[in-house]
Amino acid sequence: MATVRKRVSKKGIISYYIRSFDGYDSNGKQIERTKTWKPKAGMSERQIEKELQRQIVMFEEEVSNGACFDNNTRFAEYAWNWLENNKPPQLAPKTYERYKALLVNICAGIGEIKLCKLQSHHLQEFYNNLRENGIKKIGSYAYSDKLADFVRSNSITRAKLSELSGVSATTVSSACRGLRVSIESAEKISAALGFRVNKLFEVNSKASGLSSKTIFHHHRLISTILAQAARDRIVPFNVADKNYMKAPKLERKEAVFLDDKQVREVLELLDNEPLKWKLAMYLLIFGGMRRGELMGLEWSDIDFENHVIHIRQTSQYVKGMGIITKSPKNDFSERTIKLSDMVFKLLEQYRSYWLKLRDELTGYWQPFIEITLADGSKKTVRNDRLFIKDDTTPMNPDSLTEWVSKFVKKNNLPHFSPHSLRHTHATILIANGVNIPTVSRRLGHSSISTTTKVYAHAIQSADEIASEVIDDKLNPQEKVK
């Protein structure tokens, strides 16, 4: 509820100071919003009172909707509001979750700085801190041996604390039992009780520097948020823009991939594995598709007659939403991939296995399943997914990553992941003379420049081979025997 205080200046000018509270900051301190309203000259007392009440209602609505930003607005307030306004479908669910995690770090570092006071040197200090084992809340945790007693002595139910803090009832229960919870959850619980987090919780921050790529992602998100603040006229310009500061240096690492000999060894070892996993690996190696694209495949996407696979959708696991089905990564990701007779023979074997499994599970098999879309809505579709769980619903993509990890360890292979096989596919194509535009289209990259950046090592190697070939063909001197 807003409070109002009447002020009269030495010159007799009347104004009204309106104050409202907007939750708590990361230190558990109430965020105060204020507004000053001055009646127009000639207004009667009745008119002033009526308009004042209207101004109070309008101000409370602005505060409630998060639209009340001024020179006192701190980065954290604006950033979390920006993220809230860009929930899926504005952002892809996976992107939204990644931004949410990054903001935990960002707001711990620069969240309390006012937007209008934020400068590039603040950002540079923050990036140095991330690089040098400083502020890093992701992977850290908090626990409390005081919370349960405090809640009990103040007659607060765990359900009520969950409602006040915006933290799930399960997490509140874990915190009350002294189990580990995220620092973000501990801060929300403490703020709801009117305390700083270190008054109720023991905070354990794991200090380890972040990679240049992860730091760059922090910078890019900060720049995106400040660009919107500039468009909202809250700040005059975006201090993270390249015109005002250099972005953190991005050290490009070579993509992990297998060479020809290693791939042949993997293919031999797969003969001893279940058909489902063997097929999944073959499609990754010979098709170069992304993990989510593989998990999104349906039988209607497989053209047995022409030996092509259509990439039309992708499957992802998103925290809080479960397994979702969405459109491919970009417009170029929706594509058709030609595959060999050998791979399609394996697909035919798996199709027979899949149909047999469906017949054996009569009464248990779900002919239609409900899937979650990127915007959170539900849709009932025919159960046609290639890769399924025991309950016949779409498989979690993480299951494939876990299986590959076990496969690598069991066979004492060099480390690789499902995405490494996509890199392997591309590298082999380039090394054997397939032109870059074709490789780019096959991978579903948004541009050829993306392909050349990611596979610079393979392109360089192919160029060296090309120089030897042209020398072999055109050098008039006979080879030394």
Side-chain angles (χ1 to χ4, degrees):
M1 184 70 182
T3 60
V4 182
R5 190 167 64 198
K6 184 178 179 180
R7 289 176 171 175
V8 182
S9 70
K10 292 180 179 180
K11 295 182 179 181
I13 299 174
I14 298 173
S15 64
Y16 293 87
Y17 179 77
I18 309 171
R19 184 176 67 166
S20 183
F21 292 102
D22 187 18
Y24 297 83
D25 62 22
S26 60
N27 294 317
K29 182 181 178 182
Q30 280 191 309
I31 299 170
E32 183 181 283
R33 304 291 188 191
T34 62
K35 176 181 180 177
T36 300
W37 176 70
K38 295 179 182 179
K40 292 181 181 179
M43 292 181 72
S44 66
E45 287 187 13
R46 185 175 179 182
Q47 288 174 324
I48 291 174
E49 181 60 30
K50 185 177 180 180
E51 180 59 23
L52 177 60
Q53 292 305 315
R54 194 177 78 87
Q55 291 291 332
I56 292 171
V57 171
M58 287 172 55
F59 182 61
E60 286 182 327
E61 287 181 355
E62 288 176 356
V63 172
S64 176
N65 295 330
C68 183
F69 298 116
D70 52 29
N71 287 339
N72 291 317
T73 299
R74 301 181 189 277
F75 181 88
E77 301 166 36
Y78 185 81
W80 287 116
N81 180 265
W82 174 87
L83 188 65
E84 181 69 19
N85 290 334
N86 284 278
K87 278 185 173 180
Q90 277 74 23
L91 288 172
K94 205 76 172 177
T95 302
Y96 174 79
E97 286 301 316
R98 186 170 71 251
Y99 283 179
K100 193 174 180 180
L102 290 175
L103 274 183
V104 174
N105 276 354
I106 293 169
C107 291
I110 63 172
E112 294 307 307
I113 301 175
K114 293 180 180 179
L115 275 174
C116 63
K117 299 289 186 181
L118 187 64
Q119 297 180 28
S120 58
H121 73 84
H122 292 128
L123 302 184
Q124 192 58 61
E125 289 165 6
F126 170 58
Y127 302 147
N128 290 341
N129 206 320
L130 289 178
R131 191 177 296 109
E132 298 167 1
N133 304 341
I135 296 167
K136 178 176 180 285
K137 291 195 174 183
I138 298 173
S140 303
Y141 62 88
Y143 65 93
S144 176
D145 55 6
K146 307 171 185 175
L147 185 61
D149 291 338
F150 181 86
V151 168
R152 193 180 304 111
S153 62
N154 286 274
S155 302
I156 302 172
T157 65
R158 294 180 181 183
K160 184 62 177 178
L161 183 53
S162 171
E163 180 185 339
L164 291 171
S165 63
V167 174
S168 72
T170 302
T171 301
V172 169
S173 179
S174 296
C176 287
R177 286 185 287 138
L179 301 178
R180 294 178 180 182
V181 297
S182 70
I183 292 178
E184 182 184 5
S185 294
E187 287 175 342
K188 289 181 179 179
I189 292 170
S190 301
L193 296 172
F195 290 94
R196 291 190 177 188
V197 66
N198 56 10
K199 290 291 185 181
L200 291 176
F201 288 85
E202 294 292 329
V203 177
N204 188 308
S205 298
K206 293 182 179 178
S208 58
L210 298 180
S211 68
S212 65
K213 184 178 180 181
T214 304
I215 293 172
F216 182 78
H217 287 163
H218 283 76
H219 170 75
R220 192 161 57 181
L221 177 56
I222 290 170
S223 184
T224 299
I225 293 169
L226 291 178
Q228 183 59 52
R231 287 191 289 270
D232 288 342
R233 306 293 178 88
I234 299 171
V235 294
F237 54 84
N238 173 7
V239 298
D241 185 78
K242 62 182 180 180
N243 293 320
Y244 300 98
M245 74 171 294
K246 287 185 178 180
K249 186 177 180 181
L250 182 58
E251 297 173 5
R252 295 197 176 275
K253 294 183 179 179
E254 286 192 5
V256 176
F257 62 95
L258 306 180
D259 59 30
D260 296 10
K261 182 181 177 181
Q262 290 168 331
V263 173
R264 283 193 288 270
E265 182 183 1
V266 167
L267 294 176
E268 288 176 10
L269 290 168
L270 287 173
D271 287 337
N272 302 316
E273 300 297 337
L275 183 59
K276 176 174 70 173
W277 298 117
K278 180 179 179 180
L279 174 65
M281 295 285 278
Y282 266 65
L283 291 176
L284 290 173
I285 293 170
F286 290 94
M289 60 190 72
R290 300 176 179 93
R291 184 187 73 165
E293 294 170 345
L294 175 72
M295 291 292 121
L297 285 177
E298 297 183 343
W299 286 113
S300 57
D301 299 321
I302 314 299
D303 185 342
F304 284 94
E305 184 177 348
N306 297 302
H307 286 192
V308 296
I309 290 180
H310 301 283
I311 304 297
R312 298 186 175 114
Q313 64 184 19
T314 183
S315 185
Q316 295 179 342
Y317 174 80
V318 178
K319 185 179 178 182
M321 296 180 71
I323 299 169
I324 68 163
T325 301
K326 63 183 287 292
S327 56
K329 188 173 182 180
N330 56 60
D331 293 340
F332 297 90
S333 294
E334 190 165 331
R335 63 199 187 281
T336 298
I337 301 172
K338 180 80 174 179
L339 291 171
S340 66
D341 293 350
M342 175 193 64
V343 177
F344 265 85
K345 284 180 181 177
L346 193 60
L347 270 165
E348 287 171 355
Q349 291 177 35
Y350 184 69
R351 173 69 169 166
S352 298
Y353 160 80
W354 191 92
L355 291 171
K356 183 181 177 183
L357 180 66
R358 185 186 66 178
D359 293 340
E360 289 174 351
L361 295 175
T362 302
Y364 178 69
W365 183 275
Q366 302 178 49
F368 292 92
I369 56 173
E370 186 179 69
I371 61 172
T372 303
L373 302 181
D375 61 0
S377 62
K378 306 289 185 179
K379 182 180 180 182
T380 300
V381 298
R382 191 171 159 223
N383 192 353
D384 197 37
R385 201 71 64 97
L386 265 71
F387 299 100
I388 53 177
K389 298 187 292 188
D390 292 340
D391 64 358
T392 76
T393 59
M395 183 187 293
N396 187 330
D398 290 339
S399 298
L400 175 63
T401 302
E402 291 170 6
W403 185 87
V404 170
S405 179
K406 292 176 183 176
F407 173 77
V408 167
K409 290 178 182 177
K410 180 175 71 174
N411 294 290
N412 198 27
L413 295 168
H415 171 74
F416 68 86
S417 66
H419 203 69
S420 303
L421 300 181
R422 174 173 163 84
H423 293 319
T424 299
H425 175 86
T427 303
I428 291 174
L429 292 181
I430 294 169
N432 285 276
V434 178
N435 63 66
I436 301 302
T438 299
V439 175
S440 184
R441 285 194 298 272
R442 192 169 176 87
L443 294 175
H445 281 162
S446 57
S447 67
I448 293 176
S449 64
T450 300
T451 313
T452 56
K453 284 179 183 177
V454 175
Y455 301 107
H457 65 284
I459 294 170
Q460 179 63 37
S461 299
D463 187 58
E464 290 171 2
I465 294 171
S467 71
E468 293 173 5
V469 170
I470 196 72
D471 188 61
D472 253 3
K473 295 291 183 183
L474 303 180
N475 195 334
Q477 297 179 3
E478 292 184 7
K479 293 182 179 179
V480 179
K481 295 182 180 180

